[in-house]
Amino acid sequence: MSDLRKTRPVDPVQDAVQVSRRVILLLAVTCGVAVGNVYFPQAISPTVAAALGVSPDAAALTVTAAQFGYAAGIFLLVPLGDRIPHRSLIVTLLGLTGLGLLAAGAAPGLGPLVGASALIGITTVIAPIAGPLAVGLVAEDRRGAVSGTLLSGSVGGMLLSRTLGGTVGEWLGWRAPYLIAAALALITAALLWRVLPRTSPPSRQRYPALLAEPLRLLRAEPELRRSCFYQAMVFGGFSAVWTGVALLLTSSTYGMGARAVGALALVNAATMLCTPFAGRQTDRRGPDAVNLVSMLGVLAAAAVLALGGLGGALGMAALVVGTLLLDLGMQSGMVANQVRFYALRPEARSRLNTAYMTCGYIGGSVGSWTGARAYAAFGWPAVCALVALLTGAALVRHGFATRRKHPAVIAPVLRAAEPERSAAP
């Protein structure tokens, strides 16, 4: 254990392989615990409304506060991963998150609960900080697999927290999920303090300069812009589907309750087991190849999901298969994107991740809003068409990028497709 506690340089490739896989696994679990804090309030919002005697719309402010807090935390705190040692930063944020969850669990009314939810959202931005830390602790040929492992943890937390939070909230009341989440946050903070290696921060920039850096990196790095565009498009489609599928399942087509959405999310949690495989393929074949397969997978998902509007057993099967394909495509593409931009500037990985996560979050928010409007105006087929449109835009961008990067490979194919001018008179 003592060798892990020694101070490491910025990008310790030579001895990175000595980092225990259990440390990476603990980071993945931590990502799930942290991300889940943003999503489990969605499941207990009706319980909060009933217990506090407020309207469902008012209770939903706890969800909104956590989501806006998370967006603010990405912008304000994630860049500090390049300025403050990772162990100190992650443990401090987890501790503050635990205190915020305790405050939420003890809140006497809606106002304090909304305020605590905003604090939780701001401080629970562990996953975007843990990613750059993890890839800096392993050799270059393992970075895709490690990114996939951490993403598995985040996706697992996102999907499972809603199901578990809703179940615990129904059994023990709305305060119980907050108190359990607080215990998990504080326990993981203590474990990480013991096992995480000390790292030397790569930047000495002042805080205002750190905040401005993600925008400058977006202007300076075409590969970062490309990764951000891919994520915004695909995650926008992903968010549109999960917003629309809740409306579809509770409509007259299926006549189910909100628990059906949680059950579908629980089924899709199985996809987190496939993300490390996508990471290994990225290490072996490169990000571009994995991006292409993931986008084609999302397009196929849109076609399968369109059958979900039929209702009945066939429609439900289409929703299960389609959302599985969608989740796999989104997660695999995210791993490929991260491997691509993490390699650009090892000394600025947290700031690169800030730019990427912000663009992805904006894309997801716009996709969710647009998906709800598309469903209200034209029904479920419009949501599926929106997914295909967004993914098609990403595919077109990918085609232009790979044509510029690999002209020697693509040019012969293009020449073969042209009519043979030598045969012309």
Side-chain angles (χ1 to χ4, degrees):
M1 187 70 69
S2 60
D3 59 324
L4 288 176
R5 299 287 295 273
K6 296 177 182 177
T7 300
R8 294 178 181 269
V10 173
D11 198 13
V13 174
Q14 295 300 319
D15 66 339
V17 293
Q18 298 176 11
V19 175
S20 169
R21 292 180 184 273
R22 285 180 293 183
V23 174
I24 300 299
L25 217 66
L26 178 59
L27 282 172
V29 172
T30 303
C31 289
V33 169
V35 170
N37 294 330
V38 182
Y39 289 95
F40 80 77
Q42 295 175 344
I44 63 171
S45 179
T47 311
V48 170
L52 297 182
V54 298
S55 68
D57 287 347
L61 288 174
T62 59
V63 179
T64 304
Q67 291 178 339
F68 275 101
Y70 195 76
I74 289 174
F75 178 74
L76 295 172
L77 298 180
V78 173
L80 290 175
D82 291 330
R83 182 66 178 80
I84 298 175
H86 286 107
R87 188 178 68 151
S88 300
L89 180 60
I90 290 174
V91 170
T92 299
L93 290 178
L94 276 173
L96 292 173
T97 300
L99 293 177
L101 289 162
L102 287 174
L110 183 63
L113 179 57
V114 170
S117 298
L119 171 64
I120 293 164
I122 291 171
T123 58
T124 198
V125 289
I126 308 303
I129 298 172
L133 165 64
V135 298
L137 293 176
V138 298
E140 187 175 355
D141 61 355
R142 283 188 59 209
R143 287 175 182 168
V146 166
S147 294
T149 301
L150 264 62
L151 182 57
S152 292
S154 296
V155 172
M158 180 176 67
L159 296 175
L160 294 175
S161 63
R162 284 180 284 205
T163 302
L164 298 177
T167 302
V168 172
E170 286 187 3
W171 287 350
L172 303 175
W174 69 268
R175 298 180 189 275
Y178 283 104
L179 298 177
I180 293 172
L184 290 174
L186 295 174
I187 289 170
T188 52
L191 290 173
L192 288 174
W193 180 256
R194 288 184 58 85
V195 305
L196 279 185
R198 292 190 179 97
T199 55
S200 301
S203 174
R204 297 295 180 188
Q205 285 183 297
R206 293 182 179 275
Y207 183 60
L210 285 175
L211 291 184
E213 189 74 0
L215 186 59
R216 191 189 69 79
L217 288 170
L218 273 173
R219 290 198 303 264
E221 297 290 351
E223 293 294 88
L224 174 61
R225 291 198 301 271
R226 181 157 73 100
S227 297
C228 290
F229 183 76
Y230 293 168
Q231 180 64 10
M233 294 297 101
V234 174
F235 192 60
F238 173 89
S239 301
V241 166
W242 281 102
T243 299
V245 81
L247 300 172
L248 177 65
L249 289 175
T250 55
S251 72
S252 58
T253 304
Y254 288 94
M256 296 181 176
R259 287 188 181 181
V261 183
L264 187 60
L266 188 60
V267 171
N268 278 262
T271 61
M272 68 182 183
L273 302 176
C274 303
T275 312
F277 173 77
R280 290 191 292 271
Q281 291 302 307
T282 303
D283 290 333
R284 184 180 304 172
R285 304 177 189 277
D288 285 347
V290 175
N291 272 135
L292 177 60
V293 173
S294 68
M295 291 174 195
L296 293 175
V298 174
L299 270 184
V304 174
L305 285 167
L307 298 176
L310 298 175
L314 176 62
M316 180 57 68
L319 290 180
V320 171
V321 174
T323 51
L324 284 170
L325 283 172
L326 177 71
D327 285 12
L328 281 173
M330 187 277 292
Q331 295 169 38
S332 300
M334 189 170 183
V335 172
N337 292 332
Q338 288 178 323
V339 170
R340 180 186 295 109
F341 72 75
Y342 279 151
L344 296 174
R345 301 193 186 189
E347 78 284 357
R349 286 187 178 129
S350 290
R351 285 161 286 175
L352 290 165
N353 209 25
T354 298
Y356 176 75
M357 295 294 292
T358 301
C359 291
Y361 197 90
I362 291 171
S365 301
V366 173
S368 181
W369 183 87
T370 309
R373 269 68 189 168
Y375 184 90
F378 304 106
W380 178 247
V383 176
C384 300
L386 175 62
V387 176
L389 180 65
L390 293 174
T391 309
L395 268 171
V396 170
R397 176 71 179 86
H398 189 65
F400 281 116
T402 52
R403 182 175 180 176
R404 285 196 301 267
K405 286 183 68 176
H406 309 293
V409 175
I410 296 175
V413 178
L414 295 177
R415 285 197 299 269
E418 294 177 356
E420 297 222 3
R421 299 186 182 183
S422 59

